[in-house]
Amino acid sequence: MDKYLICGLGNPGQTYEGTRHNTGYMVLDAFAKASNIVFEDKRYGFVAETTVKGRKVILLKPTTFMNLSGNAVRYWLNKEHIDQSRLLVVSDDVALPLGAFRLKGSGSNGGHNGLGHIQQLIGQDYARLRMGVGNDYPRGGQVDWVLGHYSDEEMKVLQPSIDLSIDIIKSFVLAGIDITMNQFNKLGKK
């Protein structure tokens, strides 16, 4: 059976729930809810499994904290014998407006610490879904911004993209990164 690893970046613990930096967690929570599956606390992360048309999909929310996300990704790729071409990492991105998103087949970490650590351990040749969280913060205020909580108004802007990400993940699993980028990236511009 073909296997896929979908990793949503975030930080564990109640303090970080609903923060911009946990947008990756939020996307995976939405996918799990739509798939009627629950996460279990396992090595290096919260893990849930499902199938999409006969393909095994493993959802991973690392519990290593953002800056060490690569440890969880590398462990689960190796443990499940999943090729890197079947890895999709979902992260927040301050370079994109709130509610926008961009799907890429590979590339730099864009200054994102979670993506940076993954890149250190496995390289930059993996797919990523970057979810825009905006950048309405003063100079030097990026840490406070990404660790800040979404307002109800911001969630109204973000929620349609989270909902759409369920279809993006399914398309990645069934059709691959190129077709999925062609289909969805035009919808992610704000």
Side-chain angles (χ1 to χ4, degrees), residues 51-175:
T51 54
V52 176
K53 294 191 178 169
R55 297 173 186 197
K56 186 174 182 179
V57 179
I58 299 168
L59 305 180
L60 169 65
K61 298 192 302 184
T63 51
T64 53
F65 286 92
M66 187 66 77
N67 297 356
L68 297 174
S69 298
N71 294 341
V73 170
R74 182 172 62 183
Y75 174 82
W76 284 96
L77 284 176
N78 291 339
K79 180 185 186 308
E80 294 291 334
H81 309 290
I82 297 172
D83 188 82
Q84 226 168 281
S85 65
R86 294 185 175 168
L87 166 66
L88 175 65
V89 177
V90 185
S91 71
D92 59 291
D93 193 323
V94 296
L96 294 172
L98 179 66
F101 61 84
R102 190 76 54 251
L103 191 64
K104 294 180 77 174
S106 64
S108 77
N109 61 45
H112 191 286
N113 292 338
L115 295 177
H117 193 255
I118 294 168
Q119 186 175 317
Q120 278 176 20
L121 297 188
I122 68 168
Q124 59 185 39
D125 196 20
Y126 63 90
R128 71 279 319 260
L129 173 59
R130 296 166 34 224
M131 304 290 289
V133 299
N135 55 11
D136 189 18
Y137 54 86
R139 187 184 170 115
Q142 182 171 343
V143 170
D144 289 338
W145 177 257
V146 297
L147 293 180
H149 290 80
Y150 285 113
S151 69
D152 291 345
E153 289 303 308
E154 288 170 325
M155 281 308 301
K156 286 177 187 163
V157 175
L158 180 64
Q159 195 61 51
S161 295
I162 290 178
D163 295 342
L164 190 61
S165 67
I166 295 166
D167 295 331
I168 293 171
I169 292 168
K170 286 179 181 171
S171 176
F172 172 76
V173 168
L174 296 173

